[in-house]
């Protein structure tokens, strides 16, 4: 005969001197073997060197201050720095750069290409380039092609074929607009410091206050800012929808044993 089990069992007192176990999640890098990507590193170094050479040539062909004032040149400098850092991490099997930085670099490079081809060199655009800038020749044509076509295309190839998807986030899109906004303020400040009627006072026709006035330029900037934000959202959506081009079987420190018997 067994005794009945009591309904209420008192809680056992804590044992003094025994510390509670704290949660200690194991990072993935502790069990997953880091994988080097030498071809990715080489590609990014070549793109970075091309960007550096293009910016250097652009500075030598014109005034350094004027050349470095272009959005396309500044975005190329950023791309060169980011690609060099990314190449080093890919070569040494380290974690990639933060997606907020790489996504911003991709966005600015894409803006450079789209604005140039859709607004500045498009005959039907309301803001086409004029004079020698509309039809560059010689080395100017080379740098224009590299800055506005080849380098942005290489950035897109790196994103589509050499970068894991799903790293960009919608919350980052608003922060990516800070640099275009800062460039707008820079353009206004630069224009005020340069005497009126000076050629090249405003580097882009849609930001030319002398030609359109502040009211129209601010309207152009607002429309362009909305377009940039929509482009950023599109890049985030595509980043989550595209397939993984670098999927591989990760090697871990665990090995499953076959069942016995």
């Amino acid at each position: 005969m067994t005794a009945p089990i009591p309904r209420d069992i008192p809680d056992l007192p804590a044992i003094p001197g025994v510390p509670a176990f704290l949660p200690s999640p194991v990072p993935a890098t502790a069990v997953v073997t880091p994988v080097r990507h030498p071809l990715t590193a080489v590609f990014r170094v070549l793109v970075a060197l091309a960007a550096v050479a293009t910016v250097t040539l652009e500075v030598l062909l014109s005034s350094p201050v004027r050349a470095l004032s272009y959005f396309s040149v500044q975005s190329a400098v950023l791309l060169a720095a980011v690609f060099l850092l990314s190449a080093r991490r890919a070569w040494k099997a380290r974690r990639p750069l933060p997606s907020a930085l790489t996504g911003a670099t991709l966005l600015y490079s894409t803006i450079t290409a789209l604005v140039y081809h859709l607004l500045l060199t498009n005959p039907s655009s309301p803001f086409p380039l004029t004079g020698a800038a509309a039809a560059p020749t010689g080395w100017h044509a080379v740098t224009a092609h590299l800055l506005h076509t080849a380098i942005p295309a290489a950035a897109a190839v790196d994103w589509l074929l050499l970068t894991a998807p799903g790293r960009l986030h919608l919350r980052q899109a608003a922060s990516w607009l800070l640099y275009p906004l800062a460039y707008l303020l820079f353009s206004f400040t630069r224009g005020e410091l340069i005497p009126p009627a000076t050629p090249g006072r405003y580097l882009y026709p849609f930001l030319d206050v002398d030609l359109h006035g502040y009211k129209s330029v601010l309207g152009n900037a607002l429309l362009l800012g909305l377009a940039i934000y929509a482009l950023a959202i599109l890049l985030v959506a595509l980043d989550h929808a595209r397939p993984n081009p670098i999927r591989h079987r990760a090697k871990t420190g665990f090995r499953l044993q076959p069942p016995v018997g």
Side-chain angles (χ1 to χ4, degrees):
M1 186 173 180
T2 58
I5 300 176
R7 294 183 179 180
D8 297 329
I9 302 178
D11 295 333
L12 296 177
I15 302 176
V18 178
F21 291 99
L22 299 177
S24 177
V26 179
T29 53
V31 295
V32 178
T33 305
V35 179
R36 295 177 64 249
H37 298 282
L39 295 181
T40 299
V42 171
F43 176 79
R44 290 174 180 171
V45 168
L46 292 177
V47 174
L49 292 178
V52 171
T54 303
V55 171
T56 303
L57 185 59
E58 186 71 20
V59 169
L60 294 176
L61 291 174
S62 60
S63 167
V65 176
R66 177 183 173 87
L68 294 175
S69 298
Y70 281 99
F71 183 93
S72 56
V73 173
Q74 294 178 11
S75 64
V77 172
L78 174 64
L79 182 142
V82 170
F83 268 48
L84 284 176
L85 293 175
S86 298
R88 183 173 182 270
R89 293 188 174 223
W91 184 268
K92 294 191 173 183
R94 297 178 59 187
R95 296 182 60 185
L97 292 175
S99 59
L101 178 60
T102 57
T105 304
L106 173 66
L107 176 63
Y108 304 150
S109 180
T110 306
I111 292 172
T112 297
L114 293 180
V115 169
Y116 183 78
H117 290 286
L118 297 181
L119 290 181
L120 301 180
T121 60
N122 184 4
S124 60
S125 167
F127 307 108
L129 291 173
T130 58
T137 58
W139 286 110
H140 287 286
V142 174
T143 57
H145 175 74
L146 290 173
L147 281 175
H148 304 103
T149 305
I151 293 175
V157 168
D158 179 84
W159 171 59
L160 291 172
L161 301 181
L162 302 176
T163 306
R167 301 188 65 239
L168 303 182
H169 302 285
L170 187 59
R171 63 179 181 271
Q172 299 168 341
S175 63
W176 293 338
L177 298 180
L178 294 178
Y179 170 55
L181 177 60
Y183 186 83
L184 176 65
L185 299 178
F186 164 77
S187 178
F188 288 159
T189 304
R190 179 181 181 275
E192 291 297 327
L193 295 177
I194 296 178
T198 301
R201 186 183 181 193
Y202 296 97
L203 300 176
Y204 296 100
F206 49 85
L207 298 179
D208 194 333
V209 177
D210 291 337
L211 186 61
H212 304 289
Y214 272 104
K215 183 177 180 180
S216 296
V217 168
L218 288 175
N220 297 335
L222 177 60
L223 293 177
L224 188 59
L226 293 175
I228 292 173
Y229 186 67
L231 177 61
I233 295 176
L234 177 61
L235 289 177
V236 173
L238 292 176
D239 187 58
H240 286 264
R242 65 190 179 94
N244 190 350
I246 58 173
R247 182 182 290 112
H248 56 80
R249 299 181 62 183
K251 298 180 180 180
T252 66
F254 302 103
R255 181 171 55 187
L256 298 178
Q257 299 291 341
V260 179

